[in-house]
Amino acid sequence: MLCRLIPHRSAPSGVLSAVRGLVSLSSTRVCAPSAATRSPSVCRTKTMPPRPHIHPQVRASSNLAKQKVHISSCATALTVSFSDGLTSKFDSIWLRDHCRCPECFHQVTKQRLVDTFHIPADIQISAAVLNQSGDSVELTFAGSTHKTVFQLEWLKTHSYNPTLETASHNLKRNYKLWGAEITKNLPVVEFDEVMAGDEGLAKWLKNIDVYGIAFVKGVPPNCEATEQLGRRISFIRETHYGAFWDFTADNAHADTAYTGLALQAHTDSTYFTDPIGLQLFHMTEFTGKGGKSLYVDGFKAAAQLQETYPEYYELLTQVCIPAHSAGDPKTIIAPSPRSFPILNIDPITEDLYQVRFNNDDRSVIDGKTLIRINSKTGAKVDVKEFYAALKCWVSILRDQENEVWIQLEPGFAVIVDNWRVLHGRSAFTGHRRICGSYHGYDDYRSRVRDLCYGSSGRLDI
Amino acid sequence: MLCRLIPHRSAPSGVLSAVRGLVSLSSTRVCAPSAATRSPSVCRTKTMPPRPHIHPQVRASSNLAKQKVHISSCATALTVSFSDGLTSKFDSIWLRDHCRCPECFHQVTKQRLVDTFHIPADIQISAAVLNQSGDSVELTFAGSTHKTVFQLEWLKTHSYNPTLETASHNLKRNYKLWGAEITKNLPVVEFDEVMAGDEGLAKWLKNIDVYGIAFVKGVPPNCEATEQLGRRISFIRETHYGAFWDFTADNAHADTAYTGLALQAHTDSTYFTDPIGLQLFHMTEFTGKGGKSLYVDGFKAAAQLQETYPEYYELLTQVCIPAHSAGDPKTIIAPSPRSFPILNIDPITEDLYQVRFNNDDRSVIDGKTLIRINSKTGAKVDVKEFYAALKCWVSILRDQENEVWIQLEPGFAVIVDNWRVLHGRSAFTGHRRICGSYHGYDDYRSRVRDLCYGSSGRLDI
C-alpha cells in the first residue's frame, strides 16, 4: 500500500487545533484497478480518452477533541480512519457515483442525476480535504472543478471495504411474538383517534408493526366508515376480487372464503407474486352461529419450528410451493416465479420476512418443486420429508397455545399483516356480513417508515 | 425392493386384451419411511393410532394396443412403468394428498378440500387397479372406502421419483428478441379489433407476450378510450402516483418522469417488491419538440451480456440492488426484501424472468449489498467489478442496434412488459400530454394464460 496515511492527532480537550496540512502524494495509480475492471470491447463505446497522471492532494483540517480522524488518499481510493480507530477504504468511482450534491442527486425527488456510466472506471481523486471539525471530507476529481462532500459518519455507515458495523446495520423491527395470551391484552386503538390525526394513526400502525395484528374499536358498523379507516393507511389494493369488499356468504366468487365453511389458519393470496400486505376486516352484521375468527402469529410459529426442528425450518425456507387462484371464469392467477417457499428469508439479512401458507391453494407438488433452492447440501427433497416438515409446521400452527380465537362484532375491526399473521375461522350458519380492504405491503411499510421510525425510517437512499 | 412388479404386455394390434389379474402383495411396509419422516414430539398432537398391517391388492386391467403399462404397489408406494418404458414411483401420502375427486378437491374453486394433515405419514394403499384401457389407476387406502383415480398421463407429468421429462416441463414462452430492426415491422393491432372481442384482445396480448412491446393504432386520442383499452386486460394497478394517469410535464409528482428531462432506458418502479407489469402509454397531445420514445429489449440485452461477459451476467443475477421512491412528501417506498438483482432468475427453471433496472432510483451500494446471493464461489463482491458489470450492461442497452426510437403520436398507443422491456425518452419542450395505466404482472399473465395458451394455460393445479 503506497498511499500515505496522514494521522490527525486529537487536539487538547476543549480546543480546536487549526493545523492545515497540504500534502502531495508521490505517485499516482498506486491502487491499480483489478483485472475485473478491464474494459470489455463491447463496453468500449463510451470509454473516455486516457487521462494524465494525477497527484492527489490530501489536506488535513483540524479535528474534534478526543477524536482521531485520519484520511489518506491515493488517486483511486480514499481511506478513512474513523474516530474509534476503525478504518475503511472507498474507491474513487464509488465516491463519484455517490455524490449527494444538488447537481448529482435531485434534492426533492431523491433520484440520481449524475450519469454513472460517464464516470471513468479509474477516475482520479485530485484532492481530499478534511474539514476543520473533522466530520466531513471534500473531494475533487481530475479534469473537473466539481466538489463532492461526504460526512464521515455517512461514509462509515456505508463502508464496504471492510464493512464497519454501525447502528443502522442493526436497525431491526421490534417484533413482539404472541400466542393465545394476547387475548388478555389486545392491541386496540379508538376509531376516532385514528381518524383525528397522525398521532392516532401512528399508534395503530405501531401496533401492526409490532404485533402484525391490531384492532380498532368504535368503528361505525358500515362500509363507508370502514373504507375511510383503511384509507388512513393507503389506497386500496384492488385484486381480481375487486377493491373494497362487502359481502355475505353468498358464493359471489368461486373461493371458499365466500362460503360458510370453516377455514384453517392461512395467509391470503399465496398465489400472488406479492401477496397482499394488510387485510382490514370488519364484521358489520351477524345474526347466526359460529364464525369465530382465528389468528396465529406466523413469525412465532416459525421461531418455534426453527428451535425444535431446525431441519424442517430449513426445508420450508428452501422448497418452493406453487399456488393458484383459478376458480373464477377466465382467471388463472399464479405467482412469477411459479412457486415460493412457505418461509421467505431475506437473502442479505437472512431474516424471515414473509410467511406464505395456504394449503388449500397449493398446486401440485412434483419433481419440478421438490428441489431445495439456495442449498449448499444438495438439491433433491424426499417427498416424505417434505410432508413431515409440512405436518410439523401445521402442528405448531394448530397448537392451542398459538391459536387466538376471537368473536368479532360490529364496531370492532381487525387488521392483520398478511406477511406474518395467519387467519381462519370456524364454520358458521346464518347471516354474516363482512366488509374490508386489502393494502399493499410496500404502501403500508412506507406509511410506517414515515410515521413510526423517525429519521431512520427515511432509509439509506 | 420387495414390491412386486406386475407387467402388462401389450395386446395384439387393434385388440384389447381382457386379462384381469388380482394379486396380493406378500408383505406390508416394504417401503419403510425414512428417518426424516419420524413423528417429532411437537407434531404428535394429531397422530393417528397405529394401523394394522395392510396387504395391498394390485389388479391389472387390460391395456391399449402397442402400450406397455405396468403398475405395482407396495403398502406405501405405487410404481408405474409407462408405455414408453419409463418408470416412476409415487408415495402413498402424496397420492392421497393429490386426490382430485370432488370430495378432496373443489371442482369449481380448484382448492384442496382434503385435510393433508389428517393423512397418516405412512398411509397404506390397500388396492391399486389399472382400468381396462390402461390409462388410469384407481387406488383405495386402508381404513376407508374412498377411491382415488389418477390418469397415468397426469402421474407421468407430475412424477418426481424420478422426474420424467414430459411436454409440459418444456412449456416455455416463445420470446422473440428484437433490436432496432423491429421498427420496420412493429407488432400493431387495431383499437376496434381489441375492443370488439376476445379474438382481437388475444392478438394484442400475444404480441405483448412474444415481444414485450405492442402497439395499438386508431385509438381515439382521449383518456376515456385509453382507459377502456387498458381495462380490456385488467383493472388498473393503482400506485402512490394514482390509478389512471393523465398528465403534462408539470412536476405534479416529485419524480423526473413528470419533467421534460431526457430519461435513459429504465424499467419502472424498481422500488416495488412487485414492479408494475404492464405500462400502457398514450400521447394524446403534443405541440413541442423532442420527446421521442426509446425502447430496449432487456431480455435481448441480457442474452448478449451472458454471451459476451458471462461473469458480469452472473454478477448481475447475484448482486441485489436497493431502490427507493422517496420524492413525494410522506412517501418512502422500498421493496421487501430491501434489494433485488437487476437480472432476476427463477430458482427452479433458472430462466431469466425479470429485468429491474433504473440507475436513477438506485439507493446506496455498500457493504450490505456488495454480496453475491446464491453463490457457490464466495460472497464478497469487489466494488470495481460491480461497476464494470453495470457499465457493460449499460453499454449493451445503449448500443444503437438495441435502441428503438419512435415518435409516438395521438392515436398510436404503446404497451410494454415492464419486467422485460426498458423505456426512456429524449428531452422535450412544449406541450406534451400523456395518459395511461399500470397493470399488475399477475393479472396480465392470467389474461394471457386464459386467452393465448389453450389448455396448457390452465397450469398444473
Side-chain angles (χ1 to χ4, degrees), chain B residues 386-406:
Chain B
F386 167 73
Y387 279 105
L390 206 60
K391 269 197 177 180
C392 194
W393 163 246
V394 168
S395 74
I396 292 172
L397 292 180
R398 296 187 188 177
D399 183 334
Q400 286 190 0
E401 290 188 10
N402 288 334
E403 287 186 338
V404 173
W405 287 98
I406 297 176

Side-chain angles (χ1 to χ4, degrees), chain A residues 36 40 43 94 97 110 112 116 119 158 273 309 312 324 332 359 361 365-366 374 387 391-392 442 449, chain B residues 36 40 43 94 97 110-112 116 119 158 273 309 312 324 332 359 365-366 374 387 391-392 442 449:
Chain A
C43 309
W94 184 92
D97 183 44
K110 306 284 191 292
R112 181 173 284 95
T116 304
I119 306 173
H158 298 297
T273 301
Y309 287 88
Y312 290 155
H324 62 267
I332 316 154
N359 197 57
D361 293 342
I365 298 296
D366 60 20
N374 313 334
Y387 279 105
K391 269 197 177 181
C392 194
D442 293 347
R449 286 183 194 110
Chain B
C43 309
W94 183 93
D97 183 44
K110 306 285 192 290
Q111 289 170 297
R112 181 174 283 96
T116 304
I119 306 173
H158 298 298
T273 301
Y309 286 88
Y312 290 155
H324 62 267
I332 316 154
N359 197 56
I365 298 296
D366 60 20
N374 313 334
Y387 279 105
K391 269 197 177 180
C392 194
D442 293 347
R449 287 183 194 111

Side-chain angles (χ1 to χ4, degrees), chain B residues 243-299:
Chain B
F244 188 85
W245 25 269
D246 169 24
F247 67 93
T248 53
D250 60 355
N251 299 303
H253 288 285
D255 190 285
T256 46
Y258 295 84
T259 67
L261 297 173
L263 296 176
Q264 298 284 6
H266 65 281
T267 62
D268 269 12
S269 60
T270 56
Y271 42 73
F272 283 145
T273 301
D274 171 21
I276 62 104
L278 298 179
Q279 187 201 42
L280 174 65
F281 187 94
H282 187 197
M283 190 172 72
T284 50
E285 296 170 16
F286 186 44
T287 53
K289 278 187 177 173
K292 267 197 162 187
S293 292
L294 165 68
Y295 301 100
V296 180
D297 184 352
F299 281 9

